[in-house]
Amino acid sequence: MVKQQHITHAQELRLQAVHCKQHNQSWSASKIGKHIGCNRMFVSRWLTRHQQTGDINDKPRSGRPQIADAAAENYILMAAQLPECTSAADIAAKTQQALGLKLSGSTVTRLLKRKGLQHLTAKVVPMLTVKQKLARVKFAKAALRRERCSWRRVMITDSKYFRLHAMGKPAGRWCTPATREVVARPKHSVAAHMYMGVAFHGATSLKFVTGTHKQVSKYTDPKSKRPYRGLAQQEYTDVLHDHFIPEGNKLFKNAGQWADKWQMQQDNAPAHKTPTNMAYIAANVPGGHFLAWPPNSPDLSPIENLWSWMDIKLHKLDKCKNIEELKERLEQVRQSIPPTLLHNMFDGMKARMERVIELNGDYIGK
């Protein structure tokens, strides 16, 4: 057995896997992997090795001996967390300065990858003010005060733009300059602007509104005397009257639950929260509006996860040639939403509310 003071991080994981199995004989390789933070194949391989040989050491290698010992590996992992070490070359220089060990950037990269690290840019999240954080905590506490099944009787609504051409950065490929892929892209991609409502029991059909390519609002801005360029209050009233409320009634009636008590939850878009539309919801949705949504809080809404899921599914299909094909594909993707996804989304709302309270209103992720 390797001495404790000289073991590497990988050997420490092997020891943990063996100890877990010794103390929990019924645990599977997958469960042990989740417990110690590695994959099932790693656990299975080293449990088998230990069972056969009683050893968890690496086999003798025919290649060049590893340059970095356990102390150097630990220093490299520490240096990777320093704000001034943003690249493998920076870490290599820092290691040489501290330990006198000369390493290449590629060696450092391989070592960090073996430890499960990735070179990732910082995740951009909404900047929340103190007032917004307090509003998020207040919302979460109010939601938790409702009865246990309250989120199951709520229909959450939202809108989303889906574009005909992907506007993000193309995926990288290993290639030579001569074989580098060229992607043609328009300066301004046409888009479909759609509304959808989702509940524990299912999703409404899609409603395409102003903002969709070549779809002009039938309502006129009194100031400019021209059709509204975005969704107007009156158009959202039409969405409520013709789409959300009748389809919400049908959704909960078919489910056999909450047909006379279901509630609607929407965000704080200007067209949504006008007195006219809030009064319309109060008068026509059986349970009225659920709660006032806190500002700058997309991470609290499970429908954001559903948009991401739909976007991934959409891009796995054949490319759309025009806006009509895009609309058809979006409806196709909507119809393929698995019920278990919706169930997990709504049953997970309690955990979201508890998490935002735990973080004192800070961003919780999606």
Side-chain angles (χ1 to χ4, degrees), residues 12-160:
E12 185 179 353
L13 287 176
R14 299 170 198 172
L15 277 172
Q16 290 178 18
V18 171
H19 290 164
C20 279
K21 189 63 177 178
Q22 289 173 344
H23 291 87
N24 304 277
Q25 291 290 332
S26 62
W27 282 22
S28 65
S30 296
K31 188 170 183 179
I32 294 172
K34 289 180 181 179
H35 183 71
I36 66 176
C38 60
N39 62 55
R40 177 183 62 82
M41 295 301 295
F42 176 91
V43 174
S44 180
R45 180 170 67 252
W46 289 104
L47 288 180
T48 302
R49 173 81 68 83
H50 185 265
Q51 186 179 9
Q52 293 173 348
T53 67
D55 191 20
I56 57 166
N57 288 323
D58 292 315
K59 292 181 178 179
R61 300 181 180 182
S62 59
R64 184 183 68 179
Q66 186 171 326
I67 300 174
D69 58 12
E73 286 188 0
N74 290 333
Y75 184 84
I76 290 169
L77 289 172
M78 182 276 295
Q81 309 304 316
L82 298 175
E84 65 267 23
C85 294
T86 58
S87 67
D90 293 337
I91 297 171
K94 190 78 173 177
T95 304
Q96 183 176 4
Q97 181 183 2
L99 305 180
L101 181 63
K102 188 174 182 180
L103 300 171
S104 67
S106 57
T107 298
V108 172
T109 299
R110 286 195 299 271
L111 187 148
L112 294 175
K113 285 184 177 180
R114 284 203 307 271
K115 304 302 183 184
L117 275 66
Q118 302 178 55
H119 192 269
L120 303 173
T121 57
K123 185 176 181 179
V124 179
V125 300
M127 182 179 289
L128 297 167
T129 65
V130 173
K131 185 177 180 180
Q132 289 171 342
K133 290 180 181 181
L134 291 174
R136 286 159 61 87
V137 172
K138 182 179 179 181
F139 173 83
K141 289 181 176 179
L144 290 175
R145 282 196 298 268
R146 301 295 178 99
E147 59 269 28
R148 182 173 176 270
C149 294
S150 63
W151 283 105
R152 291 195 177 190
R153 70 178 189 184
V154 175
M155 183 173 76
I156 300 177
T157 63
D158 197 14
S159 69
K160 173 74 173 177

Side-chain angles (χ1 to χ4, degrees), residues 149 151-155 197-204 248 250-259 262 337-340 342-343 346:
C149 294
W151 283 105
R152 291 195 177 190
R153 70 178 189 184
V154 175
M155 183 173 76
V198 293
F200 180 86
H201 305 290
T204 69
K250 182 179 178 181
L251 197 64
F252 286 93
K253 182 179 179 181
N254 290 342
Q257 288 184 308
W258 314 111
W262 71 273
I337 297 173
T340 52
L342 298 178
H343 296 171
F346 281 84

Side-chain angles (χ1 to χ4, degrees), residues 146-360:
R146 301 295 178 99
E147 59 269 28
R148 182 173 176 270
C149 294
S150 63
W151 283 105
R152 291 195 177 190
R153 70 178 189 184
V154 175
M155 183 173 76
I156 300 177
T157 63
D158 197 14
S159 69
K160 173 74 173 177
Y161 282 89
F162 283 92
R163 299 194 175 277
L164 188 61
H165 302 91
M167 299 303 287
K169 186 177 180 180
R173 298 285 188 273
W174 291 104
C175 60
T176 66
T179 60
R180 183 181 182 185
E181 185 181 10
V182 176
V183 178
R185 176 176 294 167
K187 186 175 182 180
H188 303 289
S189 178
V190 300
H193 183 201
M194 68 181 205
Y195 270 86
M196 182 174 71
V198 293
F200 180 86
H201 305 290
T204 69
S205 60
L206 307 181
K207 178 67 174 179
F208 296 96
V209 297
T210 301
T212 300
H213 183 59
K214 292 187 177 180
Q215 184 166 331
V216 180
S217 175
K218 65 180 182 180
Y219 296 103
T220 303
D221 185 342
K223 293 182 179 179
S224 66
K225 308 299 182 183
R226 295 178 180 178
Y228 284 102
R229 298 184 65 181
L231 185 81
Q233 168 197 318
Q234 302 94 317
E235 185 175 3
Y236 187 64
T237 305
D238 293 342
V239 173
L240 292 171
H241 180 270
D242 301 333
H243 191 71
F244 280 151
I245 294 175
E247 292 212 16
N249 286 329
K250 182 179 178 181
L251 197 64
F252 286 93
K253 182 179 179 181
N254 290 342
Q257 288 184 308
W258 314 111
D260 59 342
K261 293 182 180 180
W262 71 273
Q263 296 176 294
M264 182 173 158
Q265 179 68 69
Q266 59 184 3
D267 63 19
N268 292 317
H272 299 175
K273 60 180 183 179
T274 61
T276 300
N277 284 331
M278 293 301 292
Y280 192 88
I281 291 171
N284 293 280
V285 176
H289 193 254
F290 184 61
L291 286 171
W293 196 260
N296 206 13
S297 300
D299 56 314
L300 299 186
S301 176
I303 201 170
E304 298 295 335
N305 301 76
L306 187 57
W307 292 140
S308 298
W309 182 89
M310 291 181 66
D311 195 42
I312 292 170
K313 291 292 182 182
L314 179 66
H315 285 93
K316 287 183 178 180
L317 302 176
D318 294 335
K319 290 184 178 180
C320 304
K321 298 178 181 178
N322 52 54
I323 193 68
E324 295 305 320
E325 280 193 12
L326 177 60
K327 290 181 180 179
E328 291 174 6
R329 298 281 168 76
L330 286 168
E331 181 60 31
Q332 180 184 340
V333 170
R334 183 202 66 84
Q335 292 176 7
S336 70
I337 297 173
T340 52
L341 177 60
L342 298 178
H343 296 171
N344 292 337
M345 282 168 47
F346 281 84
D347 285 345
M349 285 301 292
K350 180 181 178 182
R352 287 186 189 234
M353 300 299 105
E354 291 172 343
R355 181 62 175 161
V356 77
I357 294 171
E358 179 186 346
L359 295 178
N360 295 318

